[in-house]
Amino acid sequence: MFGAGGGTSSYEEIETTDLIILWGSNARSAHPIFFHHLLKGVRNGAKMYAVDPRRTESAQWADTWLGIDVGSDIALANAVAREIINAGLANTEFIEHSTSGFDDFAEFVEPYTLERAEEISGVPASAIRALAHDYATAETAQLCWTLGITEHHNATDNVVALINLALLTGHVGRYGSGLVPIRGQNNVQGGGDMGALPNKLPGFQNVADDELRGKFEKAYGMTIPSEPGWHVTQMFDAMERAELSAMYVIGENPAQSEADSGRTIELLEGLDHLVVQDIFLTKTAAMADVVFPAASGWAESEGTFTSSERRVQRVRRALDPPGSAKDDLAILFEFANAMGHEWGTADAEDVWDELRSLSPMHAGMSYERLEAMGGIQWPCPDIGHPGTKFLHAWLWEDPMPREPAPFSLVEWVPPVDPLDEDYPIRLTTGRRLDAYNTGVQSSGYRSPIYAGAVIDMTPEQAADLGASEGDVVRITSRRGSVEAPVRFTNGLRRGLVFMAIHSPDDLDVNTLTLDAWDPKSGTAEFKATAVRIETT
């Protein structure tokens, strides 16, 4: 955001902030380490709002839970913005100094009254007003989100709507106030930092910029295309058009993690050649022509991880990989050597130093400093720099060192998969504390809290269907059907059901989900599927 692909704040800031808004995130279950820091903030007196369709384990810690209808986040955010403006609570000094486009934005959100937002989102107007006033008047505030607003067909617009709120109030660019996207998996931040994005080179440098690209071309001794590549969703579309015939999958299990898994599997089976590099024989690996057994990154490899607070930390090998398994880096080097590129022998520190020479935000992070300091937060532009606790302090500098941050006009639109008489119930998916992603790393272990493959609904919803807890029901979307036992919960409203993603071998929830995707981020709409439910 604001030109940097990372959260603005440090974990320590949420421990001392005055207000926490957890929007579309069940961090207690999905991000438990971050949630420990959040709980310190709550115990230190921070007021907390949770905006989520479910009254999750996280929402139970909040002072106020805003039980939003799935897919109505932009309408709610725009209404919060309108209320802040109309109540005279906008930070006019910050807006005039640090932003652009405010007048157009104020006019744009005017139709989003509290009453209209209540009608669209299901959140009472009084609760929306309270959130707006508390956020605008807090001395410091942390606005946090995760997949609850990013796994939608308008994911980027959802995020931009929240950024608008920070610009309205000045809750960005200073210690204690910030915008916090909580990363969904270990080292997701590091993957993006290293250029695992179709339009970015390492350090979030634009591939279309001739000067930046030229720097990498000189170092790599090759020509780099100036046009962005495909993101994952576009790759599957390209398979369908017969424009992509081979795929190399590293540490992913798309056969079970992608939306509309029936289509995904069909397209993977149609490839001419599939290579998978993984520590487990996943369902995707079982379909592969070649499998490279890899080492476990956290225990059997050398390198770095980067956390959600932009902290780069050293990873040290504690064990040798078993059998014929090899470090990911070693596999890639051997693969390149076999193809005639003579990369030599893999050395993690050498690769890191090459990265530091090309990415200004990592330039000061030598292995020696990373070890001595227990990790460093980017940007760290030189060897004497301590790292950066929070981003975008330039917004408060006078004179401004760069162009002001723009307000964005984002309109609410409903989910792509509509509710109707045939599919009257909204299914949303997500994670639980008892398992991990597609279950590859966790399904082989017993846990006293493991719920398994179930569908969560209220007792009232089950009564509507003529079902009791434990009864097996059939869930059908416009793409497929699955069966699952009912589990009762009081954290949902009638008309909304929830299923976790962790047990695809027993219950492949992505048979149901829709592969409509956000054109800016490429993320599919996992969170808003229309279904019908029948007793078996």
Side-chain angles (χ1 to χ4, degrees):
M1 60 192 70
F2 308 109
T8 68
S9 302
S10 301
Y11 290 163
E12 67 179 57
E13 294 176 60
I14 206 165
E15 299 176 7
T16 58
T17 194
D18 296 309
L19 181 71
I20 299 168
I21 301 176
L22 199 59
W23 196 310
S25 173
N26 183 15
R28 172 67 182 87
S29 291
H31 310 93
I33 302 302
F34 172 79
F35 199 73
H36 284 305
H37 295 279
L38 184 150
L39 281 181
K40 288 182 181 179
V42 171
R43 289 167 176 152
N44 286 333
K47 188 171 186 177
M48 178 176 164
Y49 283 88
V51 182
D52 200 294
R54 301 187 296 139
R55 190 172 185 270
T56 63
E57 299 90 337
S58 304
Q60 292 172 25
W61 288 88
D63 295 272
T64 303
W65 168 53
L66 278 63
I68 189 173
D69 285 344
V70 174
S72 61
D73 302 272
I74 289 174
L76 180 61
N78 284 351
V80 170
R82 180 191 182 276
E83 176 62 21
I84 290 172
I85 294 168
N86 281 268
L89 298 176
N91 189 330
T92 54
E93 184 177 353
F94 177 82
I95 291 168
E96 291 171 2
H97 175 267
S98 306
T99 74
S100 63
F102 171 73
D103 290 340
D104 289 340
F105 176 72
E107 181 180 354
F108 178 80
V109 298
E110 184 59 30
Y112 285 92
T113 63
L114 296 177
E115 293 72 26
R116 183 186 177 207
E118 177 175 344
E119 181 180 350
I120 294 171
S121 70
V123 177
S126 59
I128 302 173
R129 182 184 184 278
L131 172 61
H133 283 243
D134 282 346
Y135 184 61
T137 58
E139 182 65 29
T140 57
Q142 296 280 299
L143 178 48
C144 316
W145 68 86
T146 186
L147 301 180
I149 68 166
T150 58
E151 288 188 338
H152 289 271
H153 75 281
N154 53 352
T156 304
D157 286 350
N158 283 340
V159 173
V160 168
L162 300 189
I163 293 173
N164 285 335
L165 300 182
L167 295 181
L168 265 184
T169 56
H171 282 312
V172 64
R174 55 193 178 92
Y175 186 86
S177 280
L179 294 156
V180 185
I182 315 165
R183 298 309 189 190
Q185 301 172 44
N186 181 43
N187 206 38
V188 165
Q189 183 67 57
D193 296 352
M194 296 302 108
L197 299 166
N199 63 335
K200 299 290 184 181
L201 296 160
F204 297 102
Q205 300 174 83
N206 288 328
V207 72
D209 186 302
D210 293 342
E211 182 178 351
L212 294 175
R213 192 177 65 257
K215 176 177 62 174
F216 285 87
E217 290 178 336
K218 182 179 180 180
Y220 296 163
M222 62 172 294
T223 300
I224 299 173
S226 61
E227 295 295 321
W230 290 321
H231 54 61
V232 172
T233 312
Q234 289 171 320
M235 291 182 196
F236 282 96
D237 288 349
M239 291 181 208
E240 204 160 44
R241 299 190 304 268
E243 295 178 15
L244 180 64
S245 58
M247 178 172 271
Y248 189 162
V249 179
I250 302 177
E252 290 285 341
N253 183 23
Q256 295 182 313
S257 64
E258 291 297 302
D260 193 357
S261 58
R263 171 181 178 262
T264 299
I265 291 170
E266 182 180 342
L267 292 172
L268 289 172
E269 289 175 339
L271 289 170
D272 293 340
H273 194 60
L274 176 61
V275 179
V276 173
Q277 183 171 317
D278 210 305
I279 63 175
F280 292 102
L281 190 67
T282 65
K283 185 168 183 177
T284 307
M287 301 170 61
D289 300 285
V290 177
V291 176
F292 294 146
S296 173
W298 64 272
E300 299 165 354
S301 297
E302 292 286 330
T304 63
F305 286 164
T306 308
S307 72
S308 291
E309 65 168 352
R310 298 169 284 104
R311 184 178 299 278
V312 180
Q313 301 170 86
R314 282 278 286 112
V315 179
R316 300 162 186 80
R317 174 177 290 174
L319 302 168
D320 291 328
S324 59
K326 295 183 178 181
D327 181 270
D328 285 307
L329 196 62
I331 295 171
L332 292 173
F333 266 65
E334 290 190 24
F335 188 48
N337 291 336
M339 295 179 71
H341 289 279
E342 299 182 2
W343 282 13
T345 302
D347 182 90
E349 187 172 6
D350 287 347
V351 172
W352 179 252
D353 285 340
E354 178 187 89
L355 177 277
R356 289 173 55 218
S357 74
L358 294 167
S359 172
M361 59 191 263
H362 296 96
M365 298 185 185
S366 66
Y367 265 25
E368 182 181 3
R369 293 193 76 215
L370 289 175
E371 294 199 17
M373 298 172 65
I376 303 172
Q377 292 170 276
W378 63 253
C380 178
D382 60 66
I383 206 70
H385 196 282
T388 306
K389 281 190 175 183
F390 62 93
L391 298 182
H392 313 307
W394 61 270
L395 287 164
W396 298 87
E397 293 179 14
D398 192 12
M400 286 274 287
R402 62 171 87 172
E403 292 297 312
F407 282 95
S408 301
L409 312 184
V410 288
E411 193 77 77
W412 168 77
V413 291
V416 173
D417 213 12
L419 301 179
D420 59 22
E421 291 184 1
D422 293 325
Y423 302 95
I425 297 172
R426 182 64 72 194
L427 165 68
T428 194
T429 65
R431 303 176 183 185
R432 292 196 297 254
L433 182 62
D434 57 26
Y436 186 73
N437 285 0
T438 58
V440 174
Q441 297 181 54
S442 55
S443 61
Y445 301 91
R446 290 182 293 176
S447 166
I449 64 171
Y450 181 60
V454 298
I455 180 169
D456 287 343
M457 64 179 69
T458 65
E460 294 79 11
Q461 182 79 62
D464 292 344
L465 301 168
S468 301
E469 187 165 32
D471 287 353
V472 175
V473 295
R474 180 178 297 109
I475 308 101
T476 302
S477 76
R478 294 179 173 92
R479 288 150 296 282
S481 295
V482 297
E483 294 185 354
V486 171
R487 186 177 75 161
F488 285 171
T489 178
N490 292 317
L492 297 166
R493 289 181 294 171
R494 190 175 295 184
L496 177 67
V497 295
F498 172 81
M499 297 173 74
I501 62 173
H502 307 304
S503 307
D505 291 334
D506 301 321
L507 172 63
D508 188 358
V509 66
N510 282 326
T511 299
L512 308 174
T513 53
L514 178 70
D515 61 357
W517 49 276
D518 174 35
K520 298 174 184 174
S521 69
T523 307
E525 188 156 75
F526 291 95
K527 297 302 186 189
T529 301
V531 299
R532 65 172 176 266
I533 302 175
E534 304 158 299
T535 55
T536 59

